[in-house]
Amino acid sequence: MKVMVTGGTGYIGAHTARLLKERGDQVIVVDDGVTGSSDRVAGMALETMDLAQTGSQGALTSLLREHEVDAVVHFAARKQVAESVSKPAWYYQQNVGGLAQLLMAMQDAGTSRLVFSSSAAVYGEANGVITEDFPTSPINPYGATKLAGEQLVQFSSRAWGLSASSLRYFNVAGAGQPELGDTMSLNLVSMAFDRIAAGAPPEIFGDDYPTADGTCVRDYVHVLDVAEAHLAVLDTLPTSPSCSTFNIGTGAGTTVREMVSAILRTSGSDFDPVVRTRRAGDPANVVANVDRMRQATGWVATRSLEQMVESAWQSRRYFASLTAQR
């Protein structure tokens, strides 16, 4: 298969691109290079492009035709919640505008298969075991752009025959290989390691929730499991027009205190976590129901919490050693 991976130098994108290459697919990576690293996709065709920039539709159409692309896996997007709150219009321009130009290019080129990188942020403050049929009510511009993207994909499927799936990730962490680890501190694992490295204890926001130990419950899933989910969906996309949505998680919850304890053990730290007051908008319990994904593709997450934390720690040590050598 010939697959274009937009945002392929990023965290999840690079893991997916590498798995595609390892199994023998021809991979064309398109990325603006702002937050990712070209080192992650060494040996793959790489085109530097900002999908949201005026004129990218024509360039994308040419690439799709030149490489006779069979399918697109679309990761390219901005993903910092706080930044989206301060720059809402720009986030729509980047995330929705870039997707719109890609879809128009795919229609022009006759490329009709797409896997779209969405987010559990579309559920907003939903609480409990979340199915894909839960109401979608994003509470920030980032989540809203992901929901708008899903809707655009759905309308495109009806309009011109696109066969597509939108994948709603829950809490992604870990690394498939040290050099592919997440270098942005946007999740609990990265932020806890940052504090430990700075000589400060990890923080827990709220310990009075109605959960087993009073801290929030979340569904943490290994990034390599997430990458494998994209291949599973790609391989089962119908040839006829279709549009599906899948949760990507483990289907099991871990409390924040359990995750922080695993981080402290792995790092060899003797800190005790510091409990802060609750953050506004944090639901007590958010876990993915992944039955639809399992039934449709056979995919299930297989890696443990310990593997996730250990791989994230090894990746952090890897990047620290590179910094020390400079």
Side-chain angles (χ1 to χ4, degrees):
M1 193 182 299
K2 297 177 182 177
V3 185
M4 176 181 285
V5 180
T6 69
T9 73
Y11 175 45
I12 305 174
H15 279 88
T16 303
R18 186 169 293 193
L19 288 184
L20 287 165
K21 183 176 184 292
E22 287 175 351
R23 76 174 191 177
D25 291 328
Q26 181 179 327
V27 181
I28 303 94
V29 174
V30 178
D31 203 298
D32 65 4
V34 173
T35 58
S37 170
S38 60
D39 292 341
R40 289 169 164 165
V41 293
M44 304 179 210
L46 173 60
E47 296 287 340
T48 302
M49 187 188 308
D50 179 356
L51 271 63
Q53 190 173 46
T54 302
S56 66
Q57 177 189 342
L60 282 167
T61 301
S62 297
L63 273 177
L64 291 164
R65 287 174 174 164
E66 176 189 346
H67 293 280
E68 299 179 330
V69 171
D70 299 304
V72 177
V73 185
H74 180 57
F75 294 99
R78 307 302 172 191
K79 63 176 186 177
Q80 297 187 46
V81 170
E83 184 180 53
S84 80
V85 172
S86 64
K87 299 179 179 179
W90 185 68
Y91 258 65
Y92 273 83
Q93 178 196 52
Q94 291 291 303
N95 292 359
V96 184
L99 173 61
Q101 299 218 62
L102 172 64
L103 287 168
M104 289 188 289
M106 290 177 66
Q107 183 178 9
D108 289 345
T111 305
S112 60
R113 301 171 70 194
L114 173 71
V115 179
F116 172 58
S117 170
S118 188
S119 169
V122 301
Y123 296 119
E125 294 180 332
N127 193 69
V129 180
I130 313 298
T131 72
E132 292 87 351
D133 297 324
F134 261 55
T136 50
S137 183
I139 60 172
N140 54 63
Y142 165 70
T145 64
K146 287 300 185 180
L147 181 58
E150 289 188 15
Q151 294 166 339
L152 183 53
V153 168
Q154 186 175 46
F155 286 130
S156 297
S157 176
R158 296 174 186 170
W160 57 267
L162 180 71
S163 177
S165 287
S166 296
L167 307 190
R168 295 171 175 171
Y169 316 144
F170 280 65
N171 298 68
V172 185
Q177 293 82 28
E179 69 274 14
L180 297 185
D182 193 0
T183 56
M184 300 178 69
S185 294
L186 300 176
N187 60 57
L188 171 61
V189 177
S190 298
M191 290 188 290
F193 280 140
D194 281 351
R195 286 187 61 83
I196 291 169
E203 296 174 307
I204 293 174
F205 292 92
D207 65 350
D208 56 350
Y209 289 92
T211 61
D213 61 19
T215 66
C216 292
V217 173
R218 296 292 181 263
D219 190 335
Y220 299 95
V221 57
H222 197 296
V223 65
L224 203 50
D225 282 321
V226 175
E228 289 171 353
H230 288 78
L231 273 64
V233 169
L234 189 62
D235 291 344
T236 53
L237 276 178
T239 55
S240 56
S242 66
C243 190
S244 54
T245 304
F246 298 111
N247 287 337
I248 305 299
T250 63
T254 300
T255 69
V256 169
R257 189 175 292 279
E258 288 170 337
M259 174 58 86
V260 168
S261 294
I263 290 167
L264 291 169
R265 286 195 305 273
T266 299
S267 63
S269 171
D270 57 2
F271 281 120
D272 290 322
V274 174
V275 177
R276 308 293 189 191
T277 57
R278 291 187 184 191
R279 294 179 300 193
D282 268 353
N285 183 21
V286 181
V287 176
N289 180 304
V290 292
D291 290 347
R292 181 185 293 183
M293 178 67 179
R294 176 180 53 78
Q295 291 163 5
T297 69
W299 174 90
V300 292
T302 61
R303 293 165 180 87
S304 67
L305 179 72
E306 289 72 22
Q307 288 175 296
M308 192 187 317
V309 175
E310 177 63 29
S311 65
W313 176 241
Q314 293 303 326
S315 179
R316 183 178 187 87
R317 294 181 66 187
Y318 168 81
F319 284 113
S321 68
L322 290 183
T323 301
Q325 293 170 14
R326 290 172 185 160

